[in-house]
Amino acid sequence: MKTKRMMGNAISYLVLILISIIWLFPFVGLILQSFRSYDPAVEYGGMVDYLVPHTFSLDNYRFLFSGETNFLTWYKNTIIIAVFVSLLQTIIILCVSYALSRMRFAGRTFLMRFWLILGMFPGFLTMICLYFLLKQFGLTQAGAVPGLILVSVASSGMGYYVCKGYFDTIPKALDEAARIDGASRARVFFTMTIPMSKPIIIYTLELFDNHPMIDGIVVACVEGWIPFLKKMIKKFEINKVLNIVAGGETGQESIYNGLAAVREISKGEDDIVLIHDGVRPLITEQTITDNIEMVQKAGSCITCIPATETFIVSQEDGGLEIPTRANSLIARAPQSFYLKDILEAHERSKAEGKNDFIDSCSMMHHYGHKLGKVIGPMENIKITTPDDFYTMRAILEAKENSQIYGLE
C-alpha cells in the first residue's frame, strides 16, 4: 500500500511539473526576449528561432519608460480601474448579500436562482453587445476608463454567494434587538453584521477556546488555507491555538499530523486530547466537559447520539443483520483519548499499512481498546453540504426563539 501510494505521488508530481513547465514557458520566453536589443547593429530585432538573447540589453526598457510611449499613462489607468473596481465591487457585494440574507421581499428566491443560472454563462458572450452599448454613451475612447469600471462593476452583485453565507450564520435576534434599541439598518450592517461575519470553523474554535478545561488547540488544515486561517484566528482573538499543521491525504493522516504536533507541546503522557471536526460548531460546553471526565474515568470517550432509524448491516454472505435500535448509537465528535494511547494506535496502523480507518474510535476498537461513551446533543451535525448548512440555521433560529420566549 505504501509503495503504491509513493508511486502515485511520484506520477502526480511529474505531471504537475510538466504542466508547470508548459504553463510557465511563454512567460519565461517573454521575459528573456524583453532583454534583446532592437538595434540592428547589436542583434536582429524581428522574429528569431532562439529563446536566450545573444546579447542582453536594456534598450526595450529604456524605450518603454521614455517619452516616446504612453506606458506610464496605461499603467496609471490600470491602477485607477483596479482600485475603483475593487472598492465598488466590495461595496455592492456586501449590500446585495446583506439584503438577500436579512430581508424578505417578493421575488427574492427567484432573483437568487436567476442569478445562479445566469452566472453559468461565460462573460465573453456579451462582449460585442457591451461594446456597442458603451459606444452609444461615449465610453469607448476618451471614456474608456469609466467604461471599463462600469462593465466590471455592473454585475458584481451576482457574486453574493460566499458573503451571504457568512451573514446567514449571524442570529437574526441580534438585528431585532438592535432595531428595538433604535439602530438603523445601516448601523446594524456596519457595527454588527460585517464585524461578526466569520467562517464556521471559527464558531467551533471559539467553543474550545472559551472552555476552562481546554489548555491548547492544534488545527490540521488544508495547507493552502493555513495563511487564511491564521488571519481569521488573529482577527477573532482565538488565543488557545498553539499550532496549525498541514493535513494529509486522508482524514486519518490529518489526525496523525495534528497529534504529532500535540506531542511536541505536550506536558506529559497523561494529557487528554479531544479530536473534533472543524465543521461541527453545534456542540456544547457540557459535551466537552463530559468527554474529558469520561476519559479520566474509562480511558477514552466517544460522543454518541441515540439511533432514531433502524440500521441494516450487509453481511459477506449476502444476508442482512438488523441490530435492535435500543442497542444502536451513532458516533459523532469529539472523540477523546489519552495522548499516548491514540498516538500508539496511529503509529501501529502506519507500521501495518492500515490507512482506511474511518475515524479514531474505529482504530482504537480495532486495536482492542475499551471505549467509553457520552450522549451528546442531537444537533451536533457535520456541516458538509448546503442542506446541512440550512439545517444548522434552523437549529440556531429555534434556539434563539426558545431563549427569547424563556423556554430554555
Side-chain angles (χ1 to χ4, degrees):
M1 181 67 72
K2 186 175 182 180
T3 303
K4 184 178 179 181
R5 187 174 64 178
M6 289 178 64
M7 289 179 61
N9 288 341
I11 294 172
S12 299
Y13 284 125
L14 181 61
V15 172
L16 289 173
I17 290 171
L18 289 174
I19 292 174
S20 300
I21 291 173
I22 295 171
W23 185 79
L24 290 172
F25 182 80
F27 296 96
V28 174
L30 285 172
I31 292 171
L32 289 174
Q33 292 301 303
S34 71
F35 288 102
R36 285 174 51 206
S37 174
Y38 58 82
D39 185 354
V42 178
E43 188 171 359
Y44 177 63
M47 297 294 294
V48 295
D49 58 357
Y50 54 87
L51 189 63
V52 180
H54 293 162
T55 304
F56 282 83
S57 170
L58 295 175
D59 288 349
N60 290 310
Y61 291 95
R62 294 190 188 99
F63 173 74
L64 188 66
F65 291 101
S66 68
E68 301 179 55
T69 70
N70 293 321
F71 176 76
L72 294 177
T73 301
W74 302 334
Y75 196 82
K76 180 190 71 175
N77 290 342
T78 302
I79 295 296
I80 291 172
I81 292 169
V83 170
F84 275 92
V85 168
S86 299
L87 289 174
L88 293 175
Q89 280 191 348
T90 301
I91 293 170
I92 292 173
I93 290 173
L94 286 173
C95 292
V96 171
S97 301
Y98 180 79
L100 294 176
S101 174
R102 317 310 274 184
M103 302 177 187
R104 297 295 180 266
F105 51 88
R108 170 181 170 274
T109 302
F110 170 78
L111 189 62
M112 288 192 292
R113 291 176 179 172
F114 177 72
W115 281 348
L116 182 63
I117 295 171
L118 201 62
M120 298 178 182
F121 295 92
F124 66 81
L125 293 177
T126 62
M127 286 179 63
I128 296 175
C129 177
L130 287 173
Y131 173 77
F132 281 104
L133 282 173
L134 293 175
K135 189 176 181 180
Q136 290 293 322
F137 290 96
L139 297 175
T140 54
Q141 297 300 323
V145 171
L148 288 171
I149 293 173
L150 178 63
V151 168
S152 301
V153 168
S155 61
S156 58
M158 293 169 56
Y160 67 87
Y161 315 108
V162 175
C163 191
K164 177 183 177 294
Y166 282 133
F167 291 167
D168 285 346
T169 63
I170 300 173
K172 291 182 182 178
L174 296 177
D175 295 34
E176 295 165 357
R179 295 281 288 165
I180 291 172
D181 286 341
S184 63
R185 286 201 177 272
R187 181 75 179 272
V188 172
F189 176 66
F190 285 109
T191 61
M192 293 177 58
T193 306
I194 292 180
M196 292 182 64
S197 300
K198 52 191 173 184
I200 286 177
I201 191 172
I202 297 299
Y203 283 95
T204 308
L205 288 172
E206 284 178 337
L207 290 167
F208 288 89
D209 191 63
N210 295 328
H211 197 284
M213 299 176 73
I214 297 296
D215 298 319
I217 303 170
V218 171
V219 182
C221 173
V222 176
E223 189 169 9
W225 284 89
I226 290 178
F228 173 78
L229 182 57
K230 286 182 177 179
K231 292 179 182 177
M232 291 295 101
I233 288 171
K234 182 178 180 181
K235 175 181 177 181
F236 293 102
E237 299 180 350
I238 309 296
N239 300 313
K240 291 183 181 178
V241 174
L242 304 179
N243 198 359
I244 303 176
V245 299
E249 295 182 1
T250 64
Q252 180 180 333
E253 190 175 341
S254 297
I255 291 172
Y256 178 75
N257 292 348
L259 291 171
V262 172
R263 176 166 51 190
E264 295 177 1
I265 57 178
S266 173
K267 297 178 181 178
E269 292 186 349
D270 291 331
D271 281 350
I272 296 172
V273 291
L274 287 75
I275 300 171
H276 192 67
D277 301 311
V279 288
R280 288 189 188 271
L282 297 177
I283 63 166
T284 63
E285 180 179 329
Q286 187 60 47
T287 302
I288 297 173
T289 303
D290 291 344
N291 267 256
I292 296 172
E293 292 177 350
M294 180 55 68
V295 173
Q296 292 170 338
K297 178 181 177 180
S300 67
C301 180
I302 311 303
T303 305
C304 303
I305 61 169
T308 56
E309 304 285 351
T310 300
F311 290 113
I312 298 177
V313 182
S314 178
Q315 303 295 310
E316 292 182 359
D317 60 1
L320 299 177
E321 178 187 354
I322 304 178
T324 60
R325 190 181 300 181
N327 295 329
S328 300
L329 297 171
I330 300 174
R332 291 198 170 170
Q335 299 181 2
S336 309
F337 314 92
Y338 282 113
L339 177 61
K340 63 178 185 297
D341 292 339
I342 186 65
L343 268 173
E344 179 185 349
H346 269 275
E347 288 167 353
R348 186 173 172 183
S349 71
K350 286 172 67 70
E352 296 175 359
K354 296 182 181 295
N355 302 307
D356 56 351
F357 287 108
I358 192 66
D359 56 14
S360 299
C361 69
S362 302
M363 177 187 294
M364 296 293 279
H365 180 265
H366 176 80
Y367 289 119
H369 289 268
K370 184 179 178 181
L371 303 176
K373 72 176 188 300
V374 297
I375 301 300
M378 292 292 292
E379 62 266 23
N380 181 19
I381 61 174
K382 193 174 183 180
I383 316 298
T384 54
T385 67
D387 288 341
D388 296 332
F389 175 76
Y390 289 111
T391 300
M392 179 193 74
R393 283 182 55 195
I395 292 170
L396 290 176
E397 188 170 348
K399 282 189 172 184
E400 292 160 18
N401 292 336
S402 298
Q403 291 168 355
I404 291 171
Y405 294 107
L407 299 178
E408 66 172 51

